Amino acid sequence: MASTGGKSKLKTVYKNKRSIGPLHTCGSVAVSGDGSRLVTCVAEEAVLTNLLTGEEICRFAGDTQSITSLCLTPSASQLIIFTSAPSLRVYEVPTSPAKNKIHPIRVVARAHDAPVHVCTIDPSSTYLASGSADGVVKVWDIKRGYVTHIFKGHGGIVSALKFNFPRDPSVVVPQNILQLITASVDTRIRIFDLTATVNKDQSALRPIAVLEGHVSVPRGLDVTPDGKWLISGGRDSVVLVWNMHPKSTGAKSTENSKGKGKSISPALAQTIPVMERVEAVGLLQTGHLVSSSASQLRFYTAGEKGIIRIWDVKDSSVLYSLSQVTDPQIGDQEEQRQIVEAVYLPSISTIVSVHADQNILFHDLSTRKLTRQLIGFNDEIVDAVFLSPNAPKSVDSHIAFATNSSLIRVYSTAGLDARLLTGHTEIVLSLDRGAGGKLFASGSKDRSVRLWAPASADNELPTEWGCVAICEGHAESVGAVAMSRNLGEGSTTSVQFMFSGSQDRTIKMWYIGDVPLVFDASPPGQGAMKCKSLTTHKAHEKDINSLDIAPNDRLLASGSQDRTAKVYEIDFSRATGDRSAHGEIKLLGTCKGHKRGVWTVKFGRTERVLATGSGDKTVKLWNLEDFTCVKTFEGHTNSVLRVDFINHGMQLVSSASDGLVKLWNVREEECIATMDNHEDKVWALAVSTDERTIVSAAADSVVTFWEDCTEEQERENETKRAELVLREQDFMNYLSLHDYRRAIQLALAMQQPGRLLSLFKDIRATPSESAADASSVTGNGAVDEVLRTLGGSDLARLLRYVRDWNPNTKTSGVAQGVLYAVMKLRSADDVIAAFTEEAHEGILQSSGQESAKSTTSGSTTSGNTALKELIDAMIPYTERHLSRMDRLVQDSFVVDYILSEMDDGMFDGQDIDTMDVDTEVTSWITFPANHQK
């Protein structure tokens, strides 16, 4: 169908450029101090990600148990993980990407008697504190790996931990104060002295102070660097400010006799109601160390409302909020937006918040804006579309995903930064773009279609999006949307109309000529505009799965579960003057032939053809002149869900429920390439404008960017071909010069057993007149020298070739000759070492760098196994060849006897030359059999 007369070549190779998989599914999160690296939990493993490039650096090997808590040292050199076993695992954090999983350098199998839910490391990276569910807190020496303190007596689960190592620059003599502050579900806050245990006094294990003020679980603790102020926040919706040295400020304090002797207990200085359950609280640093005056303290809170608030202690008021909730959240959505953890990074003035819906947000305190948003888990992805909000400066800079959620994900194609678009109240089912990617539409189960546009930005790539229009009128879920393809001229918008298909079996045409291309959020009271429906058409007998508009905006195609695809003519007239816009569709024909429902329809970009993908596992190409099927593409093993044209209509790309993406040659009706990186249905397929990138997204929550590498592959193949030609020429030159040493080495390097077989045949067939060659094992001294000095992996490869030659009677003579020479010239240890070296090289090539000990042991085992398999394969055929030679020798004596009887004693008394038996060949064959015995 497609013309191939142009200069376009078929695209044959697409490689996995990068993938976006689950980043955070559960558990804790840790961020390096400079905000460049992030540690998250994915299932039972911890993952280290480079936030600057969006690449996964490594994964840390777990113990198949879920991770309950983790933390990074302040220097980001070590990672501490607690699992539900409960075990303690210490890892060295790599600085460069690693292919293999990182194994722990220390493991404590039974660190606690109950799961550990909180842990923290002191600022010097020396001590680790862990609190378990049975109310026990342990302090560990990280470097030496032993427990230094055990604090008991907490009335339940330990909910928060904080080290207090004060450093006051105003004090000449350093203070020797080392404290650990804990909080538990009994609502009490305890302060332990870490230096008092030197005297081994049991009373030193008791808290020096117990603070009572909360009526619910305290979830956050923080202390000023000088150790004078403590702040605590809990689920009782209050934040308490404690004076750690009430004597110095004249605050009212009480004596506490629970510690060793009597000491002054910290006093409650202020109670601040925050009106939400607090999950994280911390003090802010403003350029210098936090002031010793309580009136100058500022802190942040994060909790159930999903908003980070910055507070002033002096006025007990909110200074500002770092995230604004534009739409009121209800029910489950409000619960999903709750903040479960927050991390303050003073070096870059950033607060990182972790939400219940596995999203991670980075807030800049200086600009008070959201700088980065990471989506931890996308769930099942059902549709995708490229966006170009800043075209023509940058094309396809973003990509939008519809997932098993009411929130639309808009990713930057350059990294992991993403935005969540709120508006729909039910799951979003379909997406489509218009105006060259500056506008896109979404259809949802809430029976509405929304249009989205980017917010304006000054000379920057816009990253914020907003809803600019709403289309309501369907009676059921909207499963398909299609926007006008043509770009208008001289109008306020480039898109004039749009179609939507629903489970109510109707297609609606919407007028969107007045929809702006830029989202303006400045008028707070102004909502999204309502779009007008131009026509409603009863299209199919069952649900409508897909819609597509022809490139010239004259045809509309629809695919349905009723196993048909229909083509309509679009009649649209723009709004001019007093005349309003008018539009309707007229049925032109029906494409019948699929045996299951039609999941996708797509018009050809250059020819009048329509491609459809169906649940019958096929892709069909239809002629739009008479609506007949002209080609059928078979190869998928399950329902074809998406299809698109590329390369001027010469090729098709399809995705299916079998988890595969296939590239097709339209003319030959054959599959050119199969791309596999998914484990579930590939619902989403998007092709970039330049067709160099194909994005596939599936129900396994994995997004894959496939990049066209056809030209690179062709250049690589051409380079290999030229190199092979040069090697073959060198090989022929070596043969002509009788330089067998280099010829054998080159044949082994090229991995061409056929040339090697011919070489050994020529050597056997060409007798040498040299005395040295006559005494050699193979009949040629140079060949003996090659076999005697052959490298380990080359020797193993040669023996594998001998194994392959041995079963064939025509080549068994050469095989036995080479084997005999190797056994004569090389020791058994050399042969074993050769296979061990080969296995070692294979392990390094396949799995990258690994510890030397494990690599050596693994290669030794696999090398011995490979040698045993080779010997077991050679012995039966060698015994068969030996039996054949024995029979041949016996037959030769029979021939001698018959000849002697036929001469009737004519040559009695005379010497008769008997048939010579090649004893050397017999000995070659005999050796392996004797070796077996």
Side-chain angles (χ1 to χ4, degrees):
M1 288 296 299
S3 174
T4 57
K7 295 183 180 180
S8 298
K9 296 182 180 179
L10 292 180
K11 301 178 185 294
T12 57
V13 180
Y14 277 87
K15 292 184 179 179
N16 184 354
K17 179 182 178 183
R18 73 184 187 100
S19 298
I20 301 176
L23 179 67
H24 175 59
T25 57
C26 61
S28 302
V29 169
V31 190
S32 61
D34 58 359
S36 62
R37 289 182 290 176
L38 173 73
V39 180
T40 55
C41 301
V42 178
E44 290 85 22
E45 292 180 343
V47 179
L48 179 64
T49 305
N50 187 336
L51 294 178
L52 303 179
T53 62
E55 297 178 351
E56 179 181 305
I57 298 177
C58 67
R59 287 178 177 255
F60 299 93
D63 57 357
T64 70
Q65 300 290 327
S66 60
I67 298 174
T68 57
S69 182
L70 60 83
C71 56
L72 269 175
T73 58
S75 60
S77 61
Q78 290 183 321
L79 174 67
I80 314 296
I81 290 179
F82 288 93
T83 64
S84 58
S87 66
L88 164 63
R89 305 169 74 85
V90 182
Y91 300 85
E92 291 285 352
V93 178
T95 56
S96 58
K99 293 182 180 180
N100 290 335
K101 293 182 179 179
I102 305 300
H103 293 275
I105 59 175
R106 182 179 296 113
V107 176
V108 180
R110 194 74 179 177
H112 281 265
D113 293 331
V116 175
H117 294 290
V118 289
C119 63
T120 186
I121 297 176
D122 78 295
S124 64
S125 301
T126 305
Y127 298 106
L128 163 72
S130 58
S132 65
D134 58 0
V136 176
V137 174
K138 292 185 178 182
V139 180
W140 308 76
D141 187 303
I142 299 177
K143 184 177 180 180
R144 297 174 178 83
Y146 61 83
V147 178
T148 61
H149 302 77
I150 299 179
F151 301 118
K152 300 180 180 180
H154 298 83
I157 301 173
V158 179
S159 59
L161 296 170
K162 182 66 179 179
F163 280 103
N164 179 26
F165 292 1
R167 56 186 191 280
D168 191 349
S170 62
V171 179
V172 178
V173 181
Q175 304 178 60
N176 188 23
I177 299 177
L178 301 177
Q179 295 177 343
L180 177 65
I181 307 172
T182 68
S184 61
V185 295
D186 62 0
T187 72
R188 293 181 174 88
I189 298 173
R190 294 170 173 84
I191 302 177
F192 295 92
D193 187 2
L194 300 181
T195 60
T197 57
V198 177
N199 300 325
K200 297 183 179 181
D201 188 357
Q202 290 298 323
S203 62
L205 299 178
R206 299 172 185 170
I208 60 175
V210 179
L211 310 182
E212 298 184 2
H214 286 284
V215 295
S216 187
V217 184
R219 288 288 293 128
L221 295 173
D222 201 5
V223 65
T224 56
D226 58 7
K228 294 181 179 179
W229 299 96
L230 170 67
I231 187 172
S232 62
R235 292 176 179 169
D236 51 4
S237 303
V238 296
V239 171
L240 304 182
V241 180
W242 305 85
N243 188 351
M244 299 289 283
H245 305 288
K247 210 169 187 181
S248 61
T249 59
K252 184 180 179 181
S253 60
T254 58
E255 292 186 352
N256 180 26
S257 58
K258 293 186 179 179
K260 185 179 180 181
K262 291 189 177 182
S263 61
I264 302 300
S265 174
L268 178 62
Q270 196 168 349
T271 301
I272 303 174
V274 296
M275 309 308 292
E276 69 168 335
R277 293 194 301 271
V278 176
E279 295 293 333
V281 64
L283 292 162
L284 300 180
Q285 299 182 14
T286 55
H288 305 283
L289 296 179
V290 179
S291 173
S292 60
S293 173
S295 61
Q296 298 180 10
L297 292 178
R298 292 185 178 183
F299 66 92
Y300 68 89
T301 60
E304 63 172 333
K305 294 184 179 179
I307 302 174
I308 295 177
R309 291 188 174 95
I310 309 300
W311 296 77
D312 184 18
V313 174
K314 180 180 179 181
D315 300 329
S316 300
S317 61
V318 178
L319 296 177
Y320 56 89
S321 298
L322 291 178
S323 58
Q324 298 292 338
V325 180
T326 55
D327 297 330
Q329 305 291 328
I330 57 174
D332 294 339
Q333 293 183 2
E334 184 178 355
E335 294 181 3
Q336 290 297 311
R337 295 300 296 167
Q338 292 181 7
I339 296 177
V340 297
E341 187 178 358
V343 181
Y344 175 47
L345 306 176
S347 62
I348 58 174
S349 187
T350 298
I351 295 179
V352 183
S353 61
V354 183
H355 296 254
D357 56 2
Q358 292 96 31
N359 295 327
I360 304 171
L361 279 63
F362 288 70
H363 304 272
D364 193 334
L365 292 174
S366 58
T367 61
R368 302 181 184 180
K369 291 184 178 180
L370 178 67
T371 58
R372 182 183 288 116
Q373 178 167 342
L374 306 178
I375 298 176
F377 186 64
N378 282 316
D379 206 353
E380 185 172 350
I381 304 174
V382 297
D383 207 353
V385 61
F386 274 103
L387 303 176
S388 305
N390 207 27
K393 292 183 180 179
S394 60
V395 181
D396 298 335
S397 59
H398 292 73
I399 185 168
F401 295 105
T403 67
N404 194 19
S405 166
S406 62
L407 305 176
I408 300 174
R409 276 89 164 147
V410 179
Y411 275 86
S412 169
T413 54
L416 292 177
D417 189 20
R419 293 295 181 268
L420 292 174
L421 307 186
T422 60
H424 286 290
T425 57
E426 293 289 345
I427 295 174
V428 178
L429 299 175
S430 58
L431 299 173
D432 195 24
R433 72 172 187 172
K438 293 184 178 180
L439 192 72
F440 76 96
S442 60
S444 169
K445 274 190 174 182
D446 61 9
R447 300 174 293 182
S448 70
V449 178
R450 287 180 177 259
L451 296 175
W452 308 82
S456 58
D458 296 333
N459 298 325
E460 293 183 359
L461 205 63
T463 55
E464 303 298 332
W465 295 74
C467 180
V468 293
I470 303 176
C471 306
E472 295 178 326
H474 281 291
E476 296 292 343
S477 303
V478 180
V481 290
M483 302 184 72
S484 171
R485 307 301 182 202
N486 273 350
L487 299 180
E489 298 179 0
S491 58
T492 57
T493 178
S494 299
V495 184
Q496 293 295 315
F497 59 87
M498 176 185 68
F499 290 94
S500 61
S502 170
Q503 284 186 351
D504 60 13
R505 306 168 190 176
T506 63
I507 297 175
K508 281 184 176 292
M509 184 178 186
W510 306 89
Y511 176 66
I512 55 175
D514 299 330
V515 175
L517 292 180
V518 176
F519 171 70
D520 186 7
S522 56
Q526 183 179 356
M529 66 178 295
K530 303 289 185 179
C531 293
K532 174 187 176 183
S533 174
L534 297 179
T535 183
T536 301
H537 186 83
K538 175 70 165 61
H540 289 274
E541 298 299 324
K542 291 185 178 181
D543 299 351
I544 298 174
N545 294 327
S546 178
L547 293 175
D548 191 40
I549 298 176
N552 59 5
D553 279 352
R554 295 183 180 179
L555 297 177
L556 170 70
S558 63
S560 170
Q561 282 297 107
D562 61 8
R563 298 180 292 181
T564 64
K566 294 186 177 182
V567 181
Y568 303 88
E569 180 183 5
I570 301 174
D571 181 15
F572 174 76
S573 59
R574 298 173 181 267
T576 56
D578 297 335
R579 181 183 175 186
S580 61
H582 171 75
E584 61 181 17
I585 57 176
K586 175 184 176 183
L587 180 63
L588 293 181
T590 303
C591 302
K592 297 181 179 180
H594 282 295
K595 299 178 182 178
R596 294 288 186 273
V598 177
W599 283 107
T600 179
V601 292
K602 203 71 176 181
F603 280 106
R605 297 194 178 109
T606 57
E607 295 190 359
R608 289 177 57 83
V609 292
L610 177 71
T612 58
S614 168
D616 59 10
K617 311 174 189 177
T618 65
V619 177
K620 289 183 180 292
L621 203 62
W622 307 84
N623 185 353
L624 294 181
E625 301 297 334
D626 53 6
F627 305 103
T628 57
C629 178
V630 292
K631 290 183 183 294
T632 301
F633 303 88
E634 297 180 348
H636 283 290
T637 58
N638 214 324
S639 303
V640 179
L641 303 175
R642 291 291 184 270
V643 68
D644 203 350
F645 285 91
I646 61 172
N647 201 6
H648 305 288
M650 296 165 55
Q651 292 178 268
L652 277 171
V653 58
S654 62
S655 64
S657 296
D658 54 11
L660 302 177
V661 178
K662 287 184 176 289
L663 190 63
W664 305 87
N665 182 348
V666 173
R667 177 180 288 274
E668 303 297 335
E669 296 185 45
E670 64 178 1
C671 178
I672 297 177
T674 299
M675 294 162 269
D676 184 9
N677 193 44
H678 297 285
E679 299 177 354
D680 211 333
K681 301 179 181 67
V682 184
W683 284 105
L685 188 70
V687 180
S688 63
T689 304
D690 59 3
E691 297 181 352
R692 284 193 56 83
T693 303
I694 297 175
V695 173
S696 61
D700 58 2
S701 185
V702 174
V703 179
T704 306
F705 289 79
W706 305 97
E707 187 176 13
D708 180 17
C709 299
T710 303
E711 295 181 0
E712 292 83 349
Q713 188 70 32
E714 288 179 355
R715 286 196 294 268
E716 184 179 346
N717 293 339
E718 186 62 31
T719 303
K720 290 182 178 179
R721 194 179 301 111
E723 184 180 354
L724 181 61
V725 170
L726 292 176
R727 285 189 171 189
E728 289 178 350
Q729 185 62 45
D730 291 341
F731 181 80
M732 299 305 296
N733 293 338
Y734 293 149
L735 286 183
S736 62
L737 296 174
H738 300 288
D739 190 349
Y740 296 119
R741 177 185 180 85
R742 295 184 179 178
I744 293 175
Q745 291 176 342
L746 189 58
L748 287 172
M750 291 190 297
Q751 298 185 8
Q752 293 186 348
R755 291 184 179 275
L756 207 57
L757 178 64
S758 301
L759 188 149
F760 283 122
K761 282 184 177 180
D762 293 342
I763 293 174
R764 293 189 63 197
T766 305
S768 177
E769 298 178 357
S770 172
D773 291 342
S775 62
S776 63
V777 178
T778 60
N780 191 294
V783 177
D784 282 9
E785 184 63 22
V786 172
L787 297 180
R788 187 180 292 109
T789 60
L790 207 57
S793 59
D794 288 339
L795 179 59
R797 188 179 298 115
L798 176 61
L799 290 176
R800 293 184 190 279
Y801 293 159
V802 169
R803 177 198 60 190
D804 298 337
W805 298 336
N806 195 43
N808 193 336
T809 306
K810 294 181 180 180
T811 58
S812 62
V814 176
Q816 293 294 329
V818 174
L819 181 62
Y820 173 72
V822 170
M823 295 296 107
K824 279 289 187 181
L825 299 173
R826 304 296 288 266
S827 64
D829 293 337
D830 288 346
V831 177
I832 295 174
F835 279 89
T836 302
E837 182 179 344
E838 183 192 43
H840 180 73
E841 293 178 358
I843 291 176
L844 290 181
Q845 291 177 0
S846 61
S847 60
Q849 295 298 323
E850 197 175 346
S851 62
K853 184 176 180 180
S854 61
T855 302
T856 303
S857 60
S859 59
T860 303
T861 303
S862 58
N864 294 338
T865 303
L867 179 58
K868 181 180 182 302
E869 292 176 353
L870 183 136
I871 294 175
D872 291 343
M874 293 183 65
I875 286 176
Y877 288 101
T878 302
E879 290 179 340
R880 184 180 303 176
H881 297 321
L882 178 61
S883 301
R884 181 168 56 84
M885 294 301 296
D886 286 341
R887 290 195 303 269
L888 184 62
V889 171
Q890 294 175 6
D891 293 344
S892 68
F893 286 113
V894 173
V895 172
D896 287 343
Y897 174 75
I898 293 175
L899 290 176
S900 63
E901 291 298 325
M902 288 176 60
D903 63 11
D904 196 18
M906 185 183 302
F907 302 103
D908 286 345
Q910 300 182 13
D911 292 335
I912 302 174
D913 293 336
T914 60
M915 182 180 296
D916 294 332
V917 178
D918 195 343
T919 57
E920 184 179 7
V921 174
T922 307
S923 63
W924 288 350
I925 300 177
T926 307
F927 176 75
N930 294 335
H931 178 71
Q932 182 191 22
K933 297 175 184 178

